[in-house]
Amino acid sequence: MNSRLLDQQTNLKTFGKCNQIHGHNYRIELTIKGTVDPVTGFLMNINDLKELMDETIVNRIVSQKTNGANNGLDDKNDTQLKRLTRIYRDLLETIGEDTEREGLLKTPERAAKALLYFTNGYQLKINDVLNDAVFAEDTDEMVVVKDIEMFSYCEHHLVPIYGKVSIGYLPDHKVLGLSKLARIVEMFARRLQVQERLTKQIAEAVVEAISPLGVGVVVEAKHMCMSSRGVQKINGKTITSCMFGEFKDNHKTRHEFLSMI
């Protein structure tokens, strides 16, 4: 169990031995007693059963402060969710929609939850993401992870940016768990962004994490603000790069990296 809104120490204090950034799968078994409906053969309608389980079990597990930790996080999230729900309802009504019709009844809350998820990177710090996955290794050969899927939001129009990220670095006797490079991308992508800043933030985070001899980051993405509005060029792609250390100063190192991606 792990919350990306908490730092590593608070996660450990909150979830104890169950703390694990990758999460676990849990199976819930529910026993219901009652009279069988002679028509359906069920004790309860399946949809009603799901709502009952969510209300009495699942939601309580999600919001429970395990080990007695009280950090006020649930109250903060609840306040944010309610405020955003009201805002989305007002937004829909402002554009002329009927928020009481069936298709939109739960849309404001769904949209609020989605926005909180899309921007949860603001709550994360590099140490939360690394989770101690830095290892001593006697190597100085280039490490490259390419085509990491990326999804973010343009801060100018609040529409999606999506594409791929390639990261390379030259270790200085320290290497990073490979999945952590993807998590670094996720941490900065889950914020309102411009691609140029996103690219640099990823590179700087790798430098902060392991102090390599050099780092290179290339991001290739499509911007919905360009393809769905304005000039409406659906095939246009934006490519940005950021190089530090050997990747910037040594053209052979830079060429090797670029040829690998």
Side-chain angles (χ1 to χ4, degrees):
M1 301 176 71
N2 182 275
S3 171
R4 291 189 173 188
L5 300 181
L6 302 176
D7 59 36
Q8 185 178 345
Q9 285 187 332
T10 308
N11 264 304
L12 185 59
K13 180 180 178 181
T14 302
F15 300 113
K17 293 182 178 180
C18 294
N19 177 225
Q20 169 56 253
I21 196 168
H22 301 297
H24 296 282
N25 293 322
Y26 295 91
R27 184 177 68 182
I28 297 175
E29 294 184 1
L30 187 64
T31 302
I32 297 178
K33 296 180 180 180
T35 304
V36 176
D37 187 321
V39 177
T40 65
F42 293 135
L43 291 174
M44 179 180 287
N45 178 283
I46 295 298
N47 290 328
D48 292 341
L49 175 60
K50 182 180 184 303
E51 290 183 6
L52 175 64
M53 187 171 69
D54 286 344
E55 179 181 348
T56 60
I57 299 177
V58 176
N59 290 341
R60 293 187 182 185
I61 291 175
V62 170
S63 63
Q64 181 180 4
K65 297 182 178 70
T66 313
N67 291 350
N70 186 357
N71 48 56
L73 184 64
D74 293 334
D75 293 338
K76 178 182 177 182
N77 281 354
D78 188 56
T79 299
Q80 286 180 321
L81 180 60
K82 289 179 179 178
R83 184 179 179 188
L84 283 171
T85 299
R86 289 195 300 270
I87 291 171
Y88 273 113
R89 184 174 291 109
D90 289 344
L91 186 152
L92 290 170
E93 292 173 352
T94 299
I95 65 173
E97 269 292 358
D98 176 11
T99 55
E100 297 303 316
R101 68 179 177 87
E102 183 180 10
L104 291 179
L105 279 175
K106 295 185 177 181
T107 296
E109 183 177 356
R110 291 192 194 102
K113 289 180 178 178
L115 183 61
L116 289 174
Y117 174 74
F118 293 147
T119 58
N120 63 20
Y122 287 116
Q123 311 301 326
L124 294 175
K125 298 179 181 179
I126 186 65
N127 288 335
D128 305 327
V129 172
L130 296 182
N131 200 29
D132 296 326
V134 177
F135 309 103
E137 288 292 338
D138 187 19
T139 179
D140 57 2
E141 295 298 324
M142 188 179 299
V143 177
V144 175
V145 178
K146 60 183 289 187
D147 296 341
I148 301 169
E149 294 91 344
M150 177 275 295
F151 182 92
S152 188
Y153 262 74
C154 165
E155 69 177 32
H156 300 141
H157 299 96
L158 301 185
V159 292
I161 304 170
Y162 63 94
K164 58 185 181 179
V165 180
S166 295
I167 304 172
Y169 69 90
L170 282 175
D172 187 11
H173 304 291
K174 286 191 294 185
V175 298
L176 192 58
L178 296 179
S179 68
K180 304 309 176 186
L181 293 173
R183 292 189 180 278
I184 288 173
V185 171
E186 188 82 353
M187 177 177 72
F188 291 110
R190 294 298 182 187
R191 307 177 184 190
L192 301 183
Q193 281 287 8
V194 295
Q195 186 172 327
E196 297 86 345
R197 181 173 66 236
L198 172 63
T199 308
K200 186 176 181 180
Q201 286 176 330
I202 294 169
E204 289 176 335
V206 177
V207 171
E208 180 182 348
I210 54 174
S211 301
L213 299 174
V215 174
V217 176
V218 174
V219 179
E220 179 180 312
K222 287 190 173 185
H223 294 242
M224 293 297 291
C225 57
M226 180 178 175
S227 59
S228 65
R229 56 164 299 283
V231 294
Q232 299 183 47
K233 302 302 181 185
I234 62 174
N235 293 318
K237 295 181 180 180
T238 301
I239 301 175
T240 50
S241 67
C242 182
M243 309 286 177
F244 289 132
E246 285 293 304
F247 284 72
K248 184 174 184 177
D249 300 333
N250 189 325
H251 74 276
K252 291 184 178 179
T253 302
R254 183 167 60 253
H255 175 74
E256 179 185 353
F257 169 58
L258 294 176
S259 67
M260 293 172 70
I261 63 172

